[in-house]
Structures are given as C-alpha cells and as structure tokens.
Amino acid sequence: MPELDDTPAAVPPVTTVATTRRRGLRLTGLVAVGMLALSGCQGQVSNGYLPNAVSDSGVRVTNLWVGSWIAVLAVGAITWGLMLYAAIRFRKRRGDETLPVQLRYNVPVELLYTIIPVFMVAVFFYYTARDEAALTDTSKKPDVTISVVAKQWSWDFNYVDSNVHETGAHTELNGQEGARAKMPVLYLPVNKRVEFVLNSRDVIHSFWVPAFMTKLDIIPGKTNKLQIVPTETGTFQGKCAELCGAYHSQMLFMVKIVSQEEYDQQMSRLAELGQTGLIPVDASREKMEPADANKIPAPARTGSNN
C-alpha cells in the first residue's frame, strides 16, 4: 500500500539524560558483578584464575589453559578491531545518499576467512593432543603404586609397595562437628611419581583431585591407570566427579601430600593398626576382563588380606 502524503514521518527516539544515566548504571552494575565473580576465583591472572597446581600434570594443564586464552583474546581483539574499523570507516555520512559499491564475493577475503580458522583449529588440536598424550602416559616407572577402588559411596586405597591399606565408609556430611574427619585419607609422598590403578566395585565413578587438575573415569570391569607427581605438600580435597547415585556429592576423600619420612611413618602406622595386606580388587559387582585384571598389581588383584 503506497504511503499517503499526510502520513506523519517517523520520529527518531529521543535520548534523555535519564536514559543515559540508566545505561551508565546498568554498565556499572555489569562491571561490578564481573569483578565480584572474578574475586571468587582462587587463582590469579598469571594462571588464568585456575587453582594453584600442585602436580606436574596441573602445571601442564595451566599452561595449555593460559596459552589458549591468549590466542582467543588476540583473535577477539583483531575481530572486534576490524568490526569497529568497518563500522566507523564505512558509516553513512549526513547528506550522502549514494550506495557503496556492491560486491557479491571477494575471493581473497573468503580464502582468508577459511584458511585462518582451519589453521587455528589445527594448532589447538595439536597442543591439546600433545598434552592429553602426556597426561595419560603411564610408561614411566612409578616410585609408588596405589590401587584405588571406588565404591558407593567411598574409597579403598591399597598401598601396594607397603602392603597396607586404608578402607573408607560413606560419611554423611550432616553439618556435625568431626564428620569430615571420618573421610578416608590418601597419603602421597611429595616429588615422587605415583601410579594410581583405578577400579570400581559397582558403577562408573571418577577419580578427581581438583588441585591436580586431572581426573580419570573408573569403569566397572576395566582398569585405568594414571600417573601423578605431587609437587607441593599440603592437604587437599578429593572427590568423585561422575554421578554415581544418591550420595554422589558425599563421595569424598582427603589427600595429604607429605615428605617421604612422613609417608613412611603413615605406612608404619597403618601396619600397627592391623591394616596389613591388600583388599581384593576383583570382589566387585562386574566381572573383570582378563586383560584388565592383569593390569592390577598381583597382590591387590585377589587381595592379600585373607
């Protein structure tokens, strides 16, 4: 329908001082929320706001994370810069009613927009695959071997070299004092290569110590292995990272990274408590495949605690 002569012209929106003030307050609020969220992070800008890494794998993960963010921010700065340049350089000017030159395609630009993303994905893939291979490599000889058995909803730890064990029972965190102290504790010697042999008695679990920045699923009937070198002494939280049932959130354990002397003292203490021998790993709900059963250290396979 043709526009009538007496149709009133569209009135441009009027930006008032109140509108500008509201926008300013909104922007200030967003900045404040962002600063508050960042203040809750444990890390610093130098490590990408990740927790402080206390293992060799954590350092590798941190370096990959920070490097990825540097690359992404650089690409973002270039992209936004080009967008702002185009918006300012080719904006419509007052009194200029001519149309710019219309182009259907630009072969060099289209090639550029294809090659650069493919190159970026290839670089990200290379570094991710390289670090993943290093994180899952278990070819080096460990100084300590620990058989970790996950169960609903706690953990058993077999210290294979010392022939002692720590068994855990589900501890309900009901807010009462001392409840957390009942959780099983995993002792590790600092600066020693520890191999974790991971098995499950029932359902899928996941062995995760956030400070290590590495986790690995524990699958019924299979054996997974993970090697870690703890690099800093202290007490850290461990947990299951796979939804495993009603009390998944309470499937927790503590990790104490100590000196070799303290580690040896703890092994002697477990022996004095009568926790000698190893708990059988193959006493589980799922039947172990022979190939996976052979990955379990022989003393822990059927147990030496009988």
Side-chain angles (χ1 to χ4, degrees):
M1 178 178 179
E3 185 178 359
L4 302 178
D5 293 339
D6 58 350
T7 302
V11 180
V14 178
T15 303
T16 63
V17 175
T19 304
T20 304
R21 185 175 300 169
R22 283 196 297 270
R23 290 176 180 172
L25 291 174
R26 193 176 302 155
L27 180 60
T28 303
L30 290 174
V31 172
V33 170
M35 293 179 65
L36 181 62
L38 289 176
S39 67
C41 298
Q42 298 180 16
Q44 302 173 347
V45 175
S46 59
N47 65 354
Y49 292 101
L50 291 177
N52 182 44
V54 298
S55 69
D56 59 335
S57 60
V59 173
R60 180 177 290 274
V61 171
T62 299
N63 292 337
L64 178 63
W65 171 262
V66 173
S68 299
W69 269 108
I70 291 174
V72 169
L73 290 174
V75 172
I78 294 172
T79 302
W80 279 98
L82 291 174
M83 291 172 61
L84 290 174
Y85 168 77
I88 296 172
R89 173 68 177 80
F90 301 106
R91 72 186 186 280
K92 186 178 184 302
R93 290 170 172 77
R94 183 178 300 177
D96 185 3
E97 302 299 333
T98 60
L99 291 175
V101 178
Q102 303 297 299
L103 299 176
R104 280 193 277 181
Y105 54 84
N106 187 307
V107 175
V109 171
E110 292 181 8
L111 287 175
L112 185 70
Y113 285 169
T114 301
I115 294 174
I116 289 182
V118 170
F119 174 76
M120 289 173 55
V121 170
V123 171
F124 273 112
F125 177 83
Y126 167 77
Y127 284 105
T128 301
R130 181 201 66 179
D131 289 346
E132 182 181 3
L135 292 171
T136 57
D137 179 31
T138 58
S139 61
K140 296 180 181 178
K141 183 179 180 180
D143 300 306
V144 177
T145 300
I146 300 177
S147 167
V148 178
V149 185
K151 58 188 181 182
Q152 292 176 312
W153 287 273
S154 192
W155 306 82
D156 292 335
F157 303 122
N158 283 320
Y159 297 92
V160 177
D161 309 286
S162 302
N163 196 39
V164 294
H165 67 270
E166 176 74 51
T167 182
H170 171 234
T171 304
E172 184 177 357
L173 300 181
N174 50 17
Q176 296 182 359
E177 186 176 355
R180 185 171 292 274
K182 298 178 182 178
M183 291 190 300
V185 180
L186 174 63
Y187 280 81
L188 304 175
V190 68
N191 295 324
K192 299 291 184 179
R193 178 167 295 277
V194 182
E195 180 169 276
F196 299 103
V197 184
L198 308 173
N199 295 97
S200 170
R201 294 205 187 283
D202 34 55
V203 298
I204 298 178
H205 300 280
S206 189
F207 179 77
W208 185 34
V209 180
F212 290 168
M213 296 188 199
T214 305
K215 68 182 181 70
L216 190 61
D217 284 352
I218 308 178
I219 302 172
K222 294 188 66 64
T223 300
N224 286 335
K225 292 186 178 182
L226 179 67
Q227 289 190 359
I228 295 288
V229 179
T231 56
E232 183 178 316
T233 59
T235 301
F236 307 94
Q237 181 70 66
K239 59 184 69 179
C240 175
E242 186 77 26
L243 183 60
C244 58
Y247 297 99
H248 157 71
S249 63
Q250 297 182 8
M251 190 171 169
L252 307 172
F253 63 97
M254 301 302 296
V255 178
K256 288 185 178 292
I257 304 176
V258 297
S259 64
Q260 183 66 52
E261 181 181 0
E262 291 180 76
Y263 178 79
D264 294 336
Q265 290 175 357
Q266 177 61 19
M267 297 300 103
S268 299
R269 177 179 171 274
L270 291 176
E272 291 172 0
L273 291 173
Q275 296 175 209
T276 55
L278 304 179
I279 301 174
V281 173
D282 59 0
S284 56
R285 188 182 301 173
E286 296 290 334
K287 182 181 178 181
M288 292 290 300
E289 295 293 332
D292 286 284
N294 291 334
K295 296 179 183 178
I296 304 172
R301 194 174 306 156
T302 57
S304 58
N305 191 30
N306 302 324

